[in-house]
Amino acid sequence: MRLRPGQHLRRQSDIRDVRQQGIRVDCRAFTLWLLARPGGGALPRACFVASTQAVGNAILRNRAKRRMRELFRRRQDLLPAPCDLLFVARSQVNS
């Protein structure tokens, strides 16, 4: 099942809000920011970031984002429904 268009976090202002107000969780492969949206829709929204400095060339960045999207897609039923997520890849994401 693909991510629905409403599940993509696209606006810079929304992404900035998640980084400034959200809860940060660090793990080996990525950093995750989570921000609850009370009364803000039925689906969780997500943004996936992989920088050249952290991950590497375009092939590795795209692979990292695919892996994070798949993790989100498979586990979104465990999330509180109205929330915004920001995934930022680390160098170990492709290991």
Side-chain angles (χ1 to χ4, degrees), residues 53-81:
Q53 290 97 3
V55 181
N57 64 23
I59 295 169
L60 296 175
R61 289 194 314 270
N62 289 332
R63 181 183 300 152
K65 289 187 281 189
R66 277 195 310 269
R67 288 181 174 181
M68 291 186 296
R69 272 194 302 267
E70 185 64 15
L71 175 69
F72 173 72
R73 188 186 68 79
R74 287 187 180 202
R75 302 295 181 170
Q76 65 184 330
D77 56 334
L78 301 176
L79 296 169

Side-chain angles (χ1 to χ4, degrees), residues 34-37 43-46 79-85:
L34 171 69
L35 179 64
R37 287 182 294 131
L43 297 172
R45 300 185 305 173
L79 296 169
C83 68
D84 290 339
L85 300 162

Side-chain angles (χ1 to χ4, degrees), residues 7-91:
Q7 289 184 281
H8 294 279
L9 190 61
R10 297 183 193 272
R11 294 175 50 203
Q12 286 296 318
S13 60
D14 292 339
I15 295 169
R16 190 178 329 107
D17 290 344
V18 173
R19 278 193 99 147
Q20 291 175 351
Q21 301 169 17
I23 298 168
R24 179 179 172 166
V25 179
D26 292 317
C27 71
R28 190 173 72 91
F30 57 87
T31 300
L32 171 69
W33 275 273
L34 171 69
L35 179 64
R37 287 182 294 131
L43 297 172
R45 300 185 305 173
C47 178
F48 306 94
V49 179
S51 70
T52 305
Q53 290 97 3
V55 181
N57 64 23
I59 295 169
L60 296 175
R61 289 194 314 270
N62 289 332
R63 181 183 300 152
K65 289 187 281 189
R66 277 195 310 269
R67 288 181 174 181
M68 291 186 296
R69 272 194 302 267
E70 185 64 15
L71 175 69
F72 173 72
R73 188 186 68 79
R74 287 187 180 202
R75 302 295 181 170
Q76 65 184 330
D77 56 334
L78 301 176
L79 296 169
C83 68
D84 290 339
L85 300 162
L86 174 62
F87 290 85
V88 179
R90 290 184 161 184
S91 58

